[in-house]
Amino acid sequence: MPKLLLITGGSHPYDETTPVMNEFLAEAGHDVDVSESAAELEGDLSGYDAIVLNTLRQPATENDLSEAQRDGLMGYVWTGGGLVSVHISAASCPDWPEMKKMTGGGWILGESWHPPFGWFQVHLSNNAHPLAKDISPFWTYDECYCGLDIQPDIDVFMYGVVEDELKPLGWSCKYGEGDVANIALGHAGSSQQHPEFQQLILNSVDYVV
């Protein structure tokens, strides 16, 4: 049974989303430890098969990752640990460029934007990508992120369309020896209850483990 560390907390509706994510991961057979403190990042992470970030860590909410926690996360992924970054998680530690390098990019606090929370269609640019397994184009009630920090050498497989422009919403990358999946969807509890979103996260965990 894969062992996952699910890190949560911050200025997003994590009281809605994390219980949903914890439940469907457990139902799929994963053993999940949920942490709001992220204290586990300071210790021995060798017992975890992957880390899932459903969180926003920043000084403004007094939950920014400490230097020891940053070192623990970076070292875990660099040496082969799997990482799944969800929604705005990649915006964590805004003064730490390594977070974007590790996640392949994501939301930039104060710069990125999205149309009003609502319905939009999600498209696949590569339905042969492992993260796209059992996924078809779908409509979701969520946020379509725009103006993201997109790092080089990522493999984008999923996007939205805003103002006739393609907006990356899902990709994979490598960080050192670690496999990384980034899914930019999942703002609210209702968003994470969507069966296609849940399949994307399950695919992501399978991919990085």
Side-chain angles (χ1 to χ4, degrees):
M1 178 182 297
K3 180 79 170 178
L4 307 178
L5 175 60
L6 172 55
I7 296 177
T8 186
S11 58
H12 254 56
Y14 296 117
D15 57 336
E16 297 178 12
T17 60
T18 295
V20 172
M21 185 174 291
N22 184 31
E23 182 177 5
F24 74 74
L25 286 170
E27 287 178 351
H30 299 295
D31 182 7
V32 185
D33 285 346
V34 179
S35 175
E36 188 166 351
S37 71
E40 292 84 354
L41 295 178
E42 301 177 27
D44 181 9
L45 296 168
S46 62
Y48 291 106
D49 296 295
I51 294 173
V52 180
L53 300 178
N54 188 50
T55 189
L56 178 57
R57 324 295 296 196
Q58 54 179 329
T61 48
E62 300 182 350
N63 73 337
D64 205 359
L65 295 181
S66 68
E67 184 175 351
Q69 290 168 343
R70 295 179 186 195
D71 287 346
L73 176 61
M74 182 173 61
Y76 174 80
V77 182
W78 186 262
T79 57
L83 180 68
V84 178
S85 177
V86 181
H87 196 51
I88 202 171
S89 298
S92 295
C93 310
D95 67 333
W96 188 42
E98 210 65 33
M99 178 61 82
K100 293 293 195 305
K101 295 177 184 178
M102 199 180 329
T103 59
W107 187 269
I108 309 167
L109 294 174
E111 295 185 27
S112 299
W113 62 282
H114 60 77
F117 184 81
W119 288 104
F120 65 94
Q121 191 169 18
V122 178
H123 306 270
L124 299 177
S125 55
N126 179 9
N127 57 15
H129 194 291
L131 296 183
K133 180 183 177 183
D134 298 325
I135 300 293
S136 300
F138 62 96
W139 286 84
T140 188
Y141 199 74
D142 208 326
E143 293 174 341
C144 187
Y145 278 180
C146 303
L148 301 183
D149 176 341
I150 300 298
Q151 294 285 305
D153 300 323
I154 65 171
D155 188 1
V156 177
F157 74 96
M158 185 174 72
Y159 65 93
V161 179
V162 176
E163 298 174 352
D164 296 324
E165 293 184 358
L166 276 57
K167 305 298 182 181
L169 293 175
W171 58 83
S172 62
C173 63
K174 293 286 290 188
Y175 182 76
E177 296 299 316
D179 289 311
V180 178
N182 192 317
I183 304 298
L185 302 172
H187 174 76
S190 58
S191 309
Q192 295 207 7
Q193 288 168 348
H194 195 298
E196 299 283 358
F197 172 83
Q198 295 187 5
Q199 187 63 53
L200 284 166
I201 299 303
L202 295 175
N203 289 350
S204 296
V205 171
D206 288 346
Y207 179 78
V208 305
V209 166

